[in-house]
Amino acid sequence: MNKKALHYLVLLALTPVAGHAQFPNMNEEQMQKLMEQGQKMQACFSQIDPAAMERMAERGKAMEAEISALCKSGDRDGAESRAVAYAKEMMDDDSMQAMKKCGEEMARTLPQMEFMKQDVDGKERHVCDNY
């Protein structure tokens, strides 16, 4: 088992502890459903080429650094433009499409859970607001 797979398994194993700590209103049934969906998602992710996932992670880190640098230099328009271009690029990537498909079931499950409901301020955010 490679180091990255072991890392994901440890994170998955700690999900119930972290979930309960972060969402104390989560009941046993919700936690069980979340764990089941997490296991399905993990099985799905295991079918994706690990080298492709690693390339995407490296590309994401590089893009984050580039966008952060643009924001810090005051080039908010350039940062936003680069972030949008990168998002479009990622949406066309086959590995990203596979990852999206893996997460769809989890996404359908989470909105139904009361503990996940959060207020949204409705304010428009800029990519540089994260830096």
Side-chain angles (χ1 to χ4, degrees), residues 3-20:
K3 187 176 176 182
K4 192 165 224 101
L6 183 59
H7 176 73
Y8 289 130
L9 289 175
V10 168
L11 288 176
L12 185 61
L14 294 176
T15 298
V17 175
H20 187 68

Side-chain angles (χ1 to χ4, degrees), residues 1-15 35 38-39 41-43 45-46 48-50 52-54 56-57 99:
M1 182 180 301
N2 69 28
K3 187 176 176 182
K4 192 165 224 101
L6 183 59
H7 176 73
Y8 289 130
L9 289 175
V10 168
L11 288 176
L12 185 61
L14 294 176
T15 298
M35 286 299 300
Q39 289 170 346
M41 193 165 71
Q42 173 64 26
F45 274 115
S46 72
I48 300 171
D49 178 19
M53 289 181 71
E54 185 65 32
M56 285 176 49
M99 289 172 59

Side-chain angles (χ1 to χ4, degrees), residues 3 9 13 18 29 43 53 56 59 61 70-71 84 100 103 122:
K3 187 176 176 182
L9 289 175
E29 181 182 346
M53 289 181 71
M56 285 176 49
R59 177 90 165 102
K61 287 178 187 176
L70 288 168
C71 290
V84 168
K100 181 180 174 190

